[in-house]
Structure formats: structure tokens, C-alpha cells
Amino acid sequence: DGGITQSPKYLFRKEGQNVTLSCEQNLNHDAMYWYRQDPGQGLRLIYYSQIVNDFQKGDIAEGYSVSREKKESFPLTVTSAQKNPTAFYLCASSPGGAGHTEAFFGQGTRLTVV
Amino acid sequence: EDKVVQSPLSLVVHEGDTVTLNCSYEVTNFRSLLWYKQEKKAPTFLFMLTSSGIEKKSGRLSSILDKKELSSILNITATQTGDSAIYLCAGNYNNNDMRFGAGTRLTVKP
């Protein structure tokens, strides 16, 4: 079945460690997104990518990094520079281009700093 | 400045009530406005509104885009406890930039 897969579902990080969250889609979508969600809050954009080998910073990119080497994959690295990384992370994709389309979401990764 | 602003941030109603959720958006490079419902994990798509499609309806839910006021409303009639969720509004902009508002947490009591 087509969709977006995020892994792992739960992730624990020690302070000072970098961790990488995986996002894979088999929808042949050009655009991919990473959002952070804190308890009871909306989604804040971290990074997005329109196309392979291209990505743009969102509102809260500091302390995060991404890559887009393949169309299907858009991994997010939470670096030690991110001082408060505990949150729920959602990946999304959309067909992109100039058309009007909705985005589809993965099931999320809950990151906890221990 | 936030591109998308939602209000209220939270709302508590009783079953059978009608609710109206608000969303305002920045017009520069605007392409479409989307509404999502989030119950536990992944948000699920409700409506997309564009300049050429400013009103949508599905069952008890409906949404309107007001291009003059740069805003949208999501109406839910005859609310049920299953409508309890966070409702998210997103602006889709040129270059596929998609920004969400802070969400409205709706609680429907029996």
C-alpha cells in the first residue's frame, strides 16, 4: 500500500546526542515536510523540500538538519544544538508542483530526551 | 509574524451544539487553505479551499474561504463526542511552503 512511513515510533535520546528520524514515502511525491508538535499545540515547520537535493528552512530549523538525496526519503537529524528536542515529530508529503493538493502524513515519531 | 492564525485555541461544547472555528492567513503567495483533524497521531485531511473553490461541505462539516477577509471558517453542526480533536488549518503557499496554525482543541462533552 502507498503511504508514508516514519520510524521509529518512539525514540529516547541522551543529552548531547544526535539522533536521526526516518521518513520514507512511496507515493511518488515531490514535496516533503518535517513538523514539530508540542503537547496541545499546532504544527511548526522545521524544514521542507520541493525536490531532490533541495530543501528550505521553516520557522524552527535551528538545531535540526535534513537531507534529500532520494525522492522517497527525507531524514531529519536532531542535533545536540537543539536544546529542547522532546516533542512529537510529523513527516508529510504532497505531490508538489503548481497544483492544489493536500499533504499526507506519517504516524509520527515521539522523541524524548532522558 | 505567523502566516496562519487560528482561534479560539480551545473550545468546550456539549453534544448537539454547533461550533465555528476560525483561521486567518497571509495572502502573499497564497495558493490554498487546508483543514485537518487530528485525534491521536497523524492529521487527517478534511477540506481544501482555493480561489476557485471557496465552499466545501461534507456531512455535518462545512468550510468557507473569505478572500476579502483573508480568512476561513470550519463549521461543525450537531456535534458529537467523536468530533473531539485538534483542528488544524494550513496555508499552502508558492514553492510548496505549507504552514499550520496553532490549532483549535475542541472538546465535546456528552
Side-chain angles (χ1 to χ4, degrees), chain A residues 78-114:
Chain A
V78 184
T79 75
S80 57
Q82 171 51 240
K83 298 307 178 187
N84 184 23
T86 295
F88 186 55
Y89 291 86
L90 281 162
C91 178
S93 72
S94 75
H100 300 292
T101 55
E102 75 267 25
F104 299 83
F105 284 86
Q107 291 299 307
T109 293
R110 190 167 299 280
L111 173 63
T112 304
V113 173
V114 295

Side-chain angles (χ1 to χ4, degrees), chain B residues 1-2 4 37 43 52 85-86 90 94 101 104:
Chain B
E1 188 172 336
D2 291 341
V4 178
K37 177 183 181 181
S52 58
I86 296 176
N94 287 346
T104 295

Side-chain angles (χ1 to χ4, degrees), chain B residues 1 3-4 13 16 19 23 30 35 42-43 52 56-57 64 67-68 76 81 84 89 103:
Chain B
E1 188 172 336
K3 284 190 171 185
V4 178
V13 300
V19 297
C23 177
F30 174 79
W35 284 98
S52 58
K56 296 286 177 71
K57 183 175 172 63
I64 297 174
K67 293 184 288 183
K68 182 178 178 182
I76 308 175
T81 55
S84 296
C89 171

Side-chain angles (χ1 to χ4, degrees), chain B residues 54-71:
Chain B
I54 61 173
E55 186 167 359
K56 296 286 177 71
K57 183 175 172 63
S58 176
R60 296 179 294 105
L61 278 66
S62 62
S63 184
I64 297 174
L65 184 73
D66 187 332
K67 293 184 288 183
K68 182 178 178 182
E69 297 296 327
L70 305 181
S71 65

Side-chain angles (χ1 to χ4, degrees), chain B residues 36-51:
Chain B
Y36 286 84
K37 177 183 181 181
Q38 184 184 29
E39 293 178 84
K40 291 186 178 178
K41 293 186 176 180
T44 54
F45 173 73
L46 294 175
F47 298 118
M48 179 169 63
L49 301 156
T50 68
S51 298

